[in-house]
Amino acid sequence: MYQAVIKAIDNANNADPNSVKFEGQSYAKEFLYAMRMTDMLTRFKPDADELMHIAARGQHIERWRSPRSDFPLGKQGYYQWRGALYDFHAERVTALMKTAGYSIADCERVYAAVAKKNIKHNPDSQLIEDIASLVFIEHYMLDFAMSKPDYDEAKWLGIIRKTWQKMSSEAHEFVLGGQIALPEPLKPLILKALN
């Protein structure tokens, strides 16, 4: 069952029309993101069960199918988009799980984690939030910074602090203990934000 779901998620994400280069190779954008989520989960929580591996792998499944441009501009539109994405991803992943024969209880557990239900109270949701935040810091924060040249230091300190607030104390220790590669150009800013 597990391998069938992972393969189905990978096949779905490999259909992403957006591609990215990494270490000289081209990847479907969401496929590479899913690989990074799995890698980070293995590093951060090596004893995570198969349901959390499914949740991590499918956290961005077919994200391109729900573009930001389908929602209103501004902060309210952004939050509508993000909330809709959480449910879209959770529904897609659990549909694949049901097809593979997982129980309703297992599907509900993964749905809650992927949809980020009750973060800070649901350890599964918090785990997926931690992994997503760690992946963002290690792999995507620098590109995001380069795409926002108009953001000043105060804006960046706020973004870094908001990301930090979403994370658990275990994830904080993981970062501060040198377990992830901080983007070198942003390292002084990140350390300043955390002091």
Side-chain angles (χ1 to χ4, degrees):
M1 286 193 304
Y2 172 72
Q3 291 300 337
V5 173
I6 294 296
K7 185 177 180 183
I9 291 169
D10 289 350
N11 287 342
N13 281 331
N14 262 319
D16 189 348
N18 306 294
S19 64
V20 290
K21 291 271 188 198
F22 177 64
E23 295 182 344
Q25 283 196 320
S26 185
Y27 295 90
K29 183 181 175 187
E30 295 307 339
F31 176 78
L32 180 60
Y33 178 85
M35 294 298 106
R36 288 171 167 167
M37 286 289 289
T38 292
D39 172 66
M40 190 63 72
L41 178 62
T42 302
R43 287 160 55 193
F44 178 69
K45 193 167 180 64
D47 61 343
D49 66 22
E50 70 181 53
L51 295 182
M52 288 304 96
H53 275 275
I54 290 170
R57 189 71 146 247
Q59 202 242 349
H60 269 195
I61 189 171
E62 297 179 338
R63 192 176 197 109
W64 70 92
R65 293 188 184 277
S66 181
R68 172 69 181 90
S69 58
D70 284 357
F71 292 80
L73 294 174
K75 193 176 276 191
Q76 187 176 358
Y78 170 76
Y79 287 121
Q80 287 174 4
W81 171 66
R82 204 171 68 176
L85 271 178
Y86 290 166
D87 287 327
F88 169 73
H89 296 317
E91 286 167 11
R92 285 290 293 124
V93 171
T94 53
L96 296 174
M97 290 176 68
K98 287 171 188 166
T99 299
Y102 277 93
S103 69
I104 291 171
D106 285 348
C107 292
E108 286 175 349
R109 186 176 161 215
V110 169
Y111 190 103
V114 174
K116 312 273 182 73
K117 302 293 185 192
N118 297 315
I119 291 178
K120 303 294 181 191
H121 301 290
N122 177 351
D124 293 339
S125 298
Q126 184 62 60
L127 176 61
I128 298 305
E129 184 64 57
D130 283 344
I131 300 306
S133 297
L134 292 167
V135 166
F136 172 69
I137 293 168
E138 186 168 81
H139 294 288
Y140 297 98
M141 185 179 273
L142 182 58
D143 284 347
F144 183 66
M146 292 170 69
S147 75
K148 305 289 183 188
D150 54 321
Y151 284 14
D152 61 12
E153 182 178 279
K155 178 91 170 171
W156 273 107
L157 291 173
I159 289 169
I160 294 165
R161 287 173 181 145
K162 280 179 189 166
T163 301
W164 196 249
Q165 287 167 1
K166 293 185 208 171
M167 296 160 65
S168 68
S169 57
E170 291 83 8
H172 294 166
E173 290 169 21
F174 195 75
V175 173
L176 297 173
Q179 301 298 311
I180 70 167
L182 296 176
E184 281 298 327
L186 298 179
K187 200 181 274 189
L189 197 60
I190 292 169
L191 296 175
K192 183 175 182 179
L194 304 184
N195 285 330

